[in-house]
Amino acid sequence: MTRSSVQGENTLKGASDAPGRAETTVESADGTEGTEGKAGSTSAAGTPGTDDGDGGAEAVRRRPRAGRRALRWTAVTLAVLIVGTASAGYLYYEHLNDNIKKVPLNLGDSKVAPPTPNAAGQTPLNILVIGSDARDSEENQKLGGARETFGSTPLADVQMLVHLSADRSNMSVVSMPRDTLVEIPRCTDPDDGEVYPASEGRTMTNQSLGHGGPGCTVATWQELTGIHIDHFMMVDFAGVVSMADAVGGVPVCVDANIHSRDGQGHGSGLKLEKGTHPIKGEQALQWLRTRYGFEDGSDLARAKAQHMYLNSMVRTLRENATLSSPNKLRRLAEEATGALTVDPGLDTVKKLYDLSNELRGVKPERITMTTMPNRYVGARVEPTEDAEQLFRLVREDIALDGKDAKKKASDDEPKVSDDPAAADDEIAVRVRNGTRTDRLGLARGRATTVAGLLVEQGFAKAVADSSVLPSESLTVVRYPTADLEGDAQRVAKSLGIPTSSVHRSTDVSGVTLVVGADWREGTAYKAPAADDKTPDSAKALNGGDESACMHVNPAFTWS
């Protein structure tokens, strides 16, 4: 086997690719990969244009270098959410509560308003699950190797948003590639008060964890997606070993014999025969870390294997009768709580158990695992228009499996603000040109044209703003505070923009209309037909799919 057989990288790249971080692969005693080096930073800022520009060239796609950092997994955390950390008989054990580490939910300055309850008074739940690469214990250090990185700044190498629908009928999971370029907001460390300024330009999302803790990763997600996050759960990857042992193994499938090791020593060391096998302990960790040997050797293939493992674990935990054993449950509870760092809203076993009771009602076939659609920017990735579509579906609580019950027409009627709008000639409106896409340049003069339309309709304070040129697939009106909601809705109504396209956002300082790619010409806005389909590029995997089997790269098979 040679390294050349797996040079095809795709979508997810390792933190070792980050400029400013010197890394060397280190082999631990058990043959797993580790890294050494310190976290640096990277940015990829675009070139600003003008309102009447014609757009820049699409970013050139490149194949990234092979990432060497071991991926820290969060199966233990999601398993806790699905089956509960313990039976009711163990809730009184205070030492379980003491096992759980607690830190603040959001370290950023801005907040995203929670969703409006449905007709039954229910709201969705969004939990951000974070896998840290920190080697802050001897156990983690042993499993990951690389002694030189002990105690170094951690990276959020796994980030998954778990969305539980308002009616608790379905669950959606969105994974974000760890080197997605994002703008990390200003965050304040809750322990020492250190202020981390907002990133200059874009940097890799996994660096957000080093800006004061998981609360900054939460803030970064909210800034990017506009999704209100209710809780977070962070786990170190040693939890994977203990959880898999506690449940007696998780079945996985490969379509050929596999040994994840090349001639240069790269690989997780995973060795399995063709077929389905229950894996646990360090073998489970190897599965979740394997990139060399699965499909094209990319981190995208590794993410697919992780999704399969998680779906299988969910089914195992739901069906495994041995978990009725008090000793099994107690061990599961001990291992799970010891691996967790959570926000104050989940800081006791009872809170975790109550949450798991809500989640356990979701059948595996109503669980959908996805990866945020992305495209290359140099050796990194950025969200695509399909990613915004995926975020919108989550924001609007639309099931990613397409099995939502048909809604009544009245269910889709947007809520009109209780805040009365000011007189039209007193409403200040900034109009920005957001018509650029990854395939089309900026449609010239759109901000000026639409601002003129508003002035003609009596909005005397409407002006074109060419200082910011966002990219929006759909035309949107944003406002920063509740007292401007009525004004924003009034602006939208005057142009025929649906109220569902009016959003509160701290990214703007006043009522701001962004002309999207759906309004590149003309003076009459026509709202596009709603498309509630999950994009194909999200690579959706259904939780009930027991036939899923990882394809083995022929260069990593054996006989």
Side-chain angles (χ1 to χ4, degrees):
M1 289 175 280
T2 64
R3 185 174 181 179
S4 62
S5 64
V6 290
Q7 286 300 303
E9 287 282 326
N10 194 3
T11 304
L12 299 173
K13 273 75 62 184
S16 58
D17 292 329
R21 181 170 191 151
E23 289 197 341
T24 304
T25 299
V26 179
E27 294 290 324
S28 65
D30 63 356
T32 56
E33 292 178 356
T35 55
E36 58 184 354
K38 295 185 178 180
S41 61
T42 184
S43 63
T47 303
T50 64
D51 179 61
D52 290 325
D54 57 4
E58 181 179 356
V60 177
R61 301 191 178 198
R62 302 178 186 172
R63 289 291 189 188
R65 297 189 303 273
R68 297 185 179 91
R69 177 167 297 279
L71 190 63
R72 302 331 188 214
W73 185 235
T74 58
V76 56
T77 305
L78 290 182
V80 168
L81 289 177
I82 297 297
V83 301
T85 56
S87 68
Y90 292 111
L91 295 180
Y92 67 88
Y93 283 133
E94 287 299 325
H95 72 275
L96 291 181
N97 290 337
D98 293 338
N99 283 347
I100 304 170
K101 297 177 284 293
K102 308 97 177 172
V103 294
L105 173 63
N106 188 343
L107 304 184
D109 295 334
S110 63
K111 312 297 178 187
V112 173
T116 302
N118 62 16
Q122 301 167 304
T123 55
L125 273 176
N126 294 306
I127 304 109
L128 184 63
V129 180
I130 303 168
S132 167
D133 78 339
R135 296 186 178 93
D136 52 2
S137 69
E138 292 184 4
E139 182 181 14
N140 278 330
Q141 181 184 346
K142 178 182 177 181
L143 290 171
R147 295 177 180 274
E148 292 80 1
T149 62
F150 185 85
S152 62
T153 302
L155 298 173
D157 273 356
V158 175
Q159 300 176 36
M160 303 174 71
L161 182 68
V162 179
H163 172 84
L164 178 64
S165 65
D167 64 5
R168 305 309 190 247
S169 68
N170 65 88
M171 186 188 304
S172 304
V173 180
V174 179
S175 296
M176 184 188 294
R178 57 188 172 180
D179 60 352
T180 300
L181 293 174
V182 298
E183 293 184 0
I184 299 177
R186 179 178 181 268
C187 292
T188 303
D189 191 315
D191 293 330
D192 56 17
E194 181 177 356
V195 176
Y196 293 84
S199 59
E200 297 182 4
R202 298 184 299 175
T203 190
M204 293 199 304
T205 183
N206 65 352
Q207 295 181 15
S208 60
L209 189 59
H211 290 217
C216 194
T217 306
V218 169
T220 301
W221 266 78
Q222 291 197 156
E223 288 283 335
L224 176 66
T225 67
I227 298 169
H228 174 79
I229 294 176
D230 301 280
H231 303 290
F232 78 80
M233 305 181 77
M234 184 171 73
V235 65
D236 61 49
F237 79 123
V240 175
V241 174
S242 58
M243 175 63 74
D245 286 346
V247 301
V250 175
V252 296
C253 176
V254 288
D255 66 0
N257 297 344
I258 181 174
H259 186 199
S260 178
R261 184 73 72 203
D262 69 7
Q264 299 181 9
H266 301 122
S268 69
L270 177 71
K271 190 171 185 178
L272 287 175
E273 293 182 356
K274 176 181 178 180
T276 300
H277 310 275
I279 58 173
K280 59 183 179 179
E282 292 189 34
Q283 194 174 44
L285 181 64
Q286 288 174 336
W287 174 276
L288 296 165
R289 294 180 56 239
T290 294
R291 177 165 55 84
Y292 292 95
F294 283 156
E295 299 188 349
D296 62 357
S298 70
D299 271 331
L300 182 61
R302 174 158 55 187
K304 181 177 179 180
Q306 292 167 349
H307 289 169
M308 288 184 183
Y309 178 94
L310 181 57
N311 284 337
S312 182
M313 173 172 272
V314 169
R315 292 192 297 268
T316 299
L317 289 168
R318 291 174 63 93
E319 300 167 3
N320 192 340
T322 63
L323 291 180
S324 61
S325 161
N327 287 334
K328 288 281 187 180
L329 281 169
R330 183 170 63 182
R331 183 181 180 189
L332 190 60
E334 292 278 3
E335 299 291 359
T337 55
L340 293 177
T341 299
V342 300
D343 67 275
L346 295 176
D347 63 357
T348 67
V349 172
K350 186 179 187 307
K351 291 177 182 178
L352 290 168
Y353 182 69
D354 289 345
L355 178 59
S356 72
N357 274 340
E358 292 194 78
L359 293 171
R360 77 165 76 198
V362 180
K363 298 178 180 179
E365 55 267 26
R366 294 303 312 276
I367 298 174
T368 306
M369 310 286 295
T370 64
T371 298
M372 183 198 77
N374 58 83
R375 57 171 167 254
Y376 287 116
V377 178
R380 309 297 175 206
V381 299
E382 66 180 4
T384 63
E385 293 175 6
D386 281 354
E388 173 53 32
Q389 166 75 348
L390 192 65
F391 298 152
R392 181 185 68 80
L393 295 178
V394 174
R395 284 196 303 266
E396 297 180 9
D397 196 26
I398 298 171
L400 299 186
D401 61 7
K403 297 178 182 178
D404 269 341
K406 294 295 183 180
K407 296 181 180 180
K408 299 177 182 178
S410 58
D411 293 337
D412 293 324
E413 293 177 1
K415 177 181 177 293
V416 177
S417 174
D418 295 330
D419 172 54
D424 290 354
D425 61 357
E426 291 298 321
I427 299 176
V429 187
R430 290 181 179 271
V431 182
R432 293 172 177 169
N433 190 341
T435 56
R436 186 194 309 273
T437 72
D438 59 334
R439 292 180 295 273
L440 298 172
L442 206 68
R444 298 183 178 184
R446 294 305 295 158
T448 301
T449 297
V450 175
L453 292 175
L454 286 171
V455 171
E456 290 175 4
Q457 295 187 31
F459 293 88
K461 294 185 177 181
V463 295
D465 179 7
S466 61
S467 63
V468 179
L469 295 175
S471 294
E472 294 285 349
S473 57
L474 300 177
T475 297
V476 64
V477 181
R478 296 191 173 99
Y479 63 95
T481 55
D483 62 309
L484 292 177
E485 182 180 25
D487 293 357
Q489 289 188 358
R490 171 62 189 145
V491 170
K493 183 178 180 180
S494 70
L495 294 173
I497 299 170
T499 306
S500 59
S501 294
V502 179
H503 304 295
R504 184 171 176 176
S505 171
T506 55
D507 290 338
V508 297
S509 58
V511 177
T512 303
L513 189 160
V514 182
V515 183
D518 60 338
W519 198 11
R520 293 178 59 85
E521 59 185 16
T523 57
Y525 179 73
K526 183 178 180 180
D531 178 9
D532 294 340
K533 180 183 177 183
T534 300
D536 291 339
S537 55
K539 307 296 183 184
L541 178 66
N542 186 274
D545 185 0
E546 298 186 38
S547 66
C549 197
M550 285 303 297
H551 175 63
V552 175
N553 187 313
F556 287 85
T557 192
W558 54 277
S559 59

